[in-house]
Amino acid sequence: MINTDSHLGEALPYVPSPYEGKKLSVATHVALSSYWFATNFVWGALLAIMLPKQIKDLYPYDRVQALSVLTAFAAVIALVVPLFAGALSDRCAHRMGRRRPFMVVGMALNVVGLIIMALVVTISHKHGHLTPEHAGFFRVVAALLRDPMFLLLLLSFMIVQAGNNIATAAYSGMIPDLVPEEQRGHASGYMGLMSQLGTLFGVALCGLVFSKYVVFVQYGVICICLVAVGMITILKVEENRLPAKPPKIEWVAYLKSLWINPKEYPDFAWVWITRALVMLGFYAIQPYVPYYLDDVIGVRDSGGSASKVIALILVMSSLSAVYGGKLSDKIGRKRVVYIANGAIAIASLLFIFCRSLESVCLVGAFFGLAFGAYISVDWALGTDVLPSKEHAAKEMAVWHISMTLPQSVAGPIAGFMISSFGIHEALDLKEKIMVPHYEVAGYTTVFVFIAVCFATGAYLLKNVRGAR
């Protein structure tokens, strides 16, 4: 974890919020959370639908391993970049404010990475087995890392991650910067709602509406939404600038300051740990939903079906997001998390017994309601236990690690579990070809792992004393 202490030199001057003493209007809440819609549109379309399908088309016999490598390496970028971008934005004296200049730069780099990804996917060709048929997980990974086209795809995806995390790291400081403390639960609810709606629209548009279009159209839609909706936050949200440019960061001292001593800030430490467990569970299955529908449920058009299932989950989570945030202001964040995480753990186990698309949708709706309630209070709970406000973006970047670090390991852990049980071929009666499928037991193991993560995350929250 991590500590903002005095080793960075002079303390940063306090920057008053332009919204101090005011009740934020609905329009202000929407504008403040618009970037959440934009960035989640990108990840909803890319991670949930497009990338799994494109990987399956290019590496049909190694798709789980390929997807786990992509998500793991890209998550390392998401782990490191916010630590530096967040701290730099804390000290930015630009006339636009501290956060918005970094958002502009990050969004531009994000678009560049998406364009390169579209080029790589377009010129790549389908592979057969990269290794002998029963090669182990790590042998397949080594073969992927020797494949030039896979390396190009990996590089472009890492550029997307770098740009997105430059913008998001700075943006993460906006709620603690601008929103009065008594309204943060409400703001967190809007954040959860806009996040879920962004993912929903990304999944629906790129998984259903534009799924039959060429790759460049799909990536073009993502770029347009990112810029158009992200600019609402940049243009409509007010920021006060720093009154003077602070001294340069002493990077060695800064890196040392990134340790938040759990003994001094136990609440921050426990909230960080519980969130990391929740995210570990969530990202263990999220990339593999289309493969689960294909291999376990037997849905051949797994891309379109995955779009519908994920869209249903997101609709239900959007319904509970705003109300969960408001409710947490009244009854406390912890109580909402206990209920939500317990319900998610139960839903994860229920997926093991699903054998039809209808049953998956039913359990998915239950999962979505619970997950939306959790997301709605997650951000507010994090801001409640921050050690300081002066270095909010840096500390929120540290808080962000509780999401990105699990991403870097969740994909490989789940990929190893799924692939360890082997792969078999079955005849596709419609297309009259043999199609590779991973075994059901692999997905069962992953769902049990997910349930344990969510249940443990809920249980450990009891150690947080300074938040309700």
Side-chain angles (χ1 to χ4, degrees):
M1 319 274 155
I2 305 180
N3 179 37
T4 25
D5 53 30
S6 60
H7 298 309
L8 296 182
E10 298 178 19
L12 294 178
Y14 173 68
V15 182
S17 167
Y19 302 102
E20 258 182 29
K22 299 178 182 177
K23 182 174 175 60
L24 273 61
S25 66
V26 171
T28 300
H29 276 297
V30 171
L32 184 61
S33 291
S34 287
Y35 178 78
W36 284 128
F37 181 100
T39 189
N40 281 281
F41 184 98
V42 173
W43 295 124
L46 198 58
L47 284 184
I49 303 299
M50 290 167 54
L51 199 56
K53 182 181 185 303
Q54 289 158 4
I55 289 294
K56 181 181 177 181
D57 291 341
L58 297 175
Y59 302 94
Y61 290 88
D62 307 295
R63 61 187 184 272
V64 165
Q65 295 92 329
L67 195 55
S68 69
V69 172
L70 278 177
T71 54
F73 273 80
V76 171
I77 299 295
L79 176 64
V80 174
V81 167
L83 295 176
F84 295 93
L88 289 169
S89 74
D90 279 335
R91 308 168 77 84
C92 177
H94 194 277
R95 59 183 177 82
M96 288 177 62
R98 294 193 287 175
R99 316 305 180 190
R100 290 183 291 177
F102 285 82
M103 293 177 65
V104 171
V105 172
M107 286 165 57
L109 185 60
N110 197 339
V111 169
V112 170
L114 288 168
I115 293 171
I116 298 174
M117 279 190 74
L119 286 169
V120 174
V121 171
T122 300
I123 64 177
S124 297
H125 301 287
K126 186 173 183 176
H127 291 67
H129 283 289
L130 289 178
T131 59
E133 189 170 342
H134 299 291
F137 177 84
F138 295 104
R139 191 172 176 184
V140 173
V141 169
L144 285 164
L145 294 175
R146 292 192 298 268
D147 179 54
M149 295 311 298
F150 182 81
L151 289 175
L152 281 174
L153 182 61
L154 176 59
L155 176 62
S156 60
F157 189 44
M158 291 172 75
I159 292 172
V160 170
Q161 280 279 15
N164 189 275
N165 279 277
I166 288 171
T168 304
Y171 174 68
S172 295
M174 275 193 166
I175 286 181
D177 277 354
L178 304 178
V179 180
E181 187 173 350
E182 69 277 5
Q183 298 179 60
R184 285 182 190 165
H186 199 183
S188 186
Y190 273 95
M191 185 212 77
L193 174 63
M194 295 294 277
S195 297
Q196 300 304 313
L197 288 177
T199 308
L200 172 61
F201 276 84
V203 166
L205 287 179
C206 292
L208 298 173
V209 179
F210 293 102
S211 60
K212 303 300 182 184
Y213 288 74
V214 295
V215 167
F216 272 104
V217 171
Q218 296 179 52
Y219 279 90
V221 169
I222 296 177
C223 292
I224 291 169
C225 179
L226 173 65
V227 174
V229 181
M231 288 301 293
I232 294 174
T233 298
I234 292 169
L235 296 175
K236 297 296 184 181
V237 174
E238 298 177 41
E239 271 194 280
N240 289 334
R241 61 183 296 180
L242 278 173
K245 188 172 179 60
K248 291 183 179 179
I249 296 176
E250 298 176 14
W251 288 108
V252 173
Y254 168 72
L255 292 174
K256 289 180 180 179
S257 80
L258 291 181
W259 170 254
I260 292 181
N261 191 332
K263 291 183 179 179
E264 292 183 41
Y265 304 102
D267 286 345
F268 184 85
W270 281 115
V271 171
W272 194 99
I273 290 168
T274 58
R275 190 198 197 207
L277 284 167
V278 169
M279 293 300 132
L280 182 64
F282 180 75
Y283 287 106
I285 192 59
Q286 190 248 15
Y288 305 112
V289 170
Y291 303 161
Y292 161 74
L293 294 175
D294 188 0
D295 297 331
V296 178
I297 308 303
V299 179
R300 188 69 185 95
D301 177 28
S302 57
S305 298
S307 300
K308 295 172 184 176
V309 171
I310 295 171
L312 174 62
I313 291 173
L314 292 169
V315 167
M316 302 307 290
S317 64
S318 298
L319 291 176
S320 60
V322 168
Y323 294 105
K326 287 182 178 180
L327 185 63
S328 76
D329 285 335
K330 296 179 180 178
I331 69 171
R333 327 278 191 220
K334 290 166 64 176
R335 193 173 298 177
V336 174
V337 173
Y338 289 144
I339 297 170
N341 282 11
I344 296 168
I346 294 170
S348 301
L349 294 175
L350 291 176
F351 278 119
I352 295 172
F353 304 100
C354 293
R355 289 298 179 269
S356 68
L357 188 59
E358 291 76 17
S359 61
V360 170
C361 288
L362 184 62
V363 175
F366 177 53
F367 182 99
L369 279 172
F371 193 70
Y374 170 78
I375 289 297
S376 71
V377 301
D378 171 52
W379 205 262
L381 189 58
T383 57
D384 285 346
V385 298
L386 283 183
S388 71
K389 185 171 179 177
E390 289 76 12
H391 298 277
K394 189 192 77 168
E395 290 178 352
M396 289 307 286
V398 176
W399 164 250
H400 190 58
I401 293 174
S402 63
M403 182 173 72
T404 54
L405 181 59
Q407 283 184 56
S408 66
V409 297
I413 289 172
F416 178 80
M417 289 178 178
I418 294 170
S419 61
S420 291
F421 288 88
I423 193 169
H424 68 276
E425 291 186 319
L427 178 65
D428 185 315
L429 297 176
K430 183 178 180 180
E431 298 187 15
K432 307 298 182 185
I433 57 173
M434 298 300 289
V435 177
H437 293 279
Y438 289 88
E439 300 292 345
V440 173
Y443 293 95
T444 299
T445 305
V446 171
F447 281 119
V448 171
F449 173 74
I450 293 169
V452 170
C453 288
F454 276 101
T456 306
Y459 176 76
L460 291 179
L461 195 65
K462 69 183 180 63
N463 296 301
V464 177
R465 307 296 183 189
R468 294 188 302 129

